[in-house]
Amino acid sequence: MKLLRETIRKLILEVYKLDDEQIARKEKLERDQGYWYGSRLAKAAGLQDEYGQEADRFGLQQYQEMLKDNRKGKKMIQAFMQGDVTILHSFDFKGATHSSGLGGTSSKGLASEWIKSYGKRGKDALSVVAFFEPPTSSIATRKALNNNAQFIATARGVILKGYPVFVGEHDSFTQTLGAIDDKMKAHWKQSGIPKRPDIEKDDFGAFMGITNLGRLKRVGYSNETILDNWTVVGTYINEEVSLNPADIQAYVDDSLSMGLPCNVYDVNGELKMRHEP
């Protein structure tokens, strides 16, 4: 599992020391927003001290070790990397950092615009939602859409495959790429910008996430997955995005022009049409 070894090695090397200006911004967020929420916003913007980074890094290392040592965990990794599950990343989604004025939305109208900015492949970890069902079928067939999954599935974006760094049942409040400043981006230019969840850990210090496909099937979907070494394998749009059929068709045509299939979902996640190039 070469990619698994590279992922764990990357986790070891990714601690970043905040400078005085970044520390001041972190402390201001904690004062203005209250420590609990402000510290989570600071983390989402990449403003986390070394101790916090090291603790989170250990939590991810332990989670990854569970996947590596577990036959079912390896099977889940394979499903994510081969695109056997539906993985959606929306460029319409506006998270907590955006509503707090910290950035964090790409504001792209067409998939080709997003791909022009970020590429068809990437090593910066992305926040996505992951459904047990394959990209060729409806999603949320076992559990109604809610929370992140609902926001993202009823928007538009890209369908991906890649390495699951962490598969969370709930919103993990990870770092938001659009909210990270240029100094951090420069620091992580070669290895890719990391993401770490902000959720409970087990008695061994591992983040508590989904570790096998059986669990993903039972809960229906992951409300936030951290995906690394990703590849775009398609696009999607929900009928809720526009009441004008011409807008939907323009998005489909844009996808097909890049040789990518496009899924059109309804508000409940039913696949109304899959357009193939």
Side-chain angles (χ1 to χ4, degrees):
M1 298 287 285
K2 180 181 178 183
L3 190 52
L4 177 58
R5 291 195 299 271
E6 290 176 353
T7 298
I8 294 175
R9 189 180 305 119
K10 182 174 170 180
L11 291 172
I12 294 172
L13 299 173
E14 67 183 17
V15 172
Y16 173 84
K17 184 176 182 179
L18 301 180
D19 63 23
D20 291 344
E21 182 270 333
Q22 292 166 329
I23 291 172
R25 283 197 286 131
K26 174 181 181 293
E27 292 174 346
K28 185 176 187 303
L29 276 173
E30 292 169 349
R31 286 195 307 271
D32 293 349
Q33 302 289 339
Y35 180 78
W36 184 83
Y37 187 64
S39 62
R40 298 188 88 192
L41 277 178
K43 177 177 177 177
L47 301 172
Q48 187 181 30
D49 61 31
E50 292 171 84
Y51 174 80
Q53 292 179 61
E54 289 170 355
D56 287 352
R57 180 186 65 183
F58 180 77
L60 277 179
Q61 286 177 295
Q62 294 297 98
Y63 173 81
Q64 283 292 317
E65 289 290 345
M66 284 194 293
L67 296 187
K68 181 188 73 171
D69 295 338
N70 186 329
R71 178 180 59 83
K72 293 181 179 180
K74 291 179 181 178
K75 187 175 180 180
M76 186 179 77
I77 291 173
Q78 185 179 44
F80 274 72
M81 293 184 67
Q82 292 181 345
D84 295 334
V85 294
T86 300
I87 304 171
L88 305 182
H89 175 76
S90 171
F91 35 81
D92 284 340
F93 181 67
K94 295 178 175 64
T97 55
H98 180 268
S99 60
S100 299
L102 297 173
T105 180
S106 54
S107 301
K108 306 298 183 185
L110 295 173
S112 60
E113 296 172 353
W114 188 89
I115 289 173
K116 184 177 180 180
S117 296
Y118 300 97
K120 282 190 175 182
R121 294 179 176 82
K123 58 186 178 182
D124 288 340
L126 293 178
S127 287
V128 301
V129 295
F131 298 85
F132 175 78
E133 299 87 357
T136 52
S137 75
S138 299
I139 55 177
T141 60
R142 294 167 172 80
K143 176 184 175 183
L145 291 167
N146 62 44
N147 299 324
N148 281 0
Q150 183 176 26
F151 295 135
I152 291 173
T154 55
R156 59 190 156 186
V158 288
I159 305 173
L160 304 169
K161 65 179 181 180
Y163 187 88
V165 175
F166 180 76
V167 183
E169 187 172 339
H170 308 291
D171 183 353
S172 301
F173 225 95
T174 60
Q175 288 84 350
T176 303
L177 298 187
I180 291 175
D181 66 30
D182 290 339
K183 288 178 283 189
M184 295 182 205
K185 290 176 181 176
H187 175 78
W188 285 311
K189 183 177 180 180
Q190 297 302 318
S191 62
I193 299 171
K195 274 179 170 281
R196 307 179 195 91
D198 189 7
I199 58 171
E200 292 183 40
K201 297 177 182 177
D202 65 18
D203 293 340
F204 302 98
F207 283 114
M208 297 175 66
I210 297 169
T211 57
N212 60 75
L213 288 174
R215 177 63 180 168
L216 183 62
K217 182 178 181 179
R218 285 193 296 276
V219 301
Y221 47 81
S222 160
N223 261 302
E224 185 170 4
T225 286
I226 301 174
L227 195 73
D228 205 351
N229 291 287
W230 48 266
T231 300
V232 177
V233 295
T235 72
Y236 77 95
I237 189 168
N238 197 284
E239 293 177 333
E240 292 291 294
V241 169
S242 177
L243 296 176
N244 185 350
D247 293 337
I248 304 293
Q249 189 59 51
Y251 191 87
V252 171
D253 291 342
D254 176 69
S255 180
L256 297 180
S257 72
M258 295 182 288
L260 294 171
C262 181
N263 287 0
V264 180
Y265 298 110
D266 72 5
V267 67
N268 297 313
E270 181 181 346
L271 183 61
K272 305 303 291 186
M273 181 66 69
R274 180 174 170 86
H275 299 269
E276 298 278 359

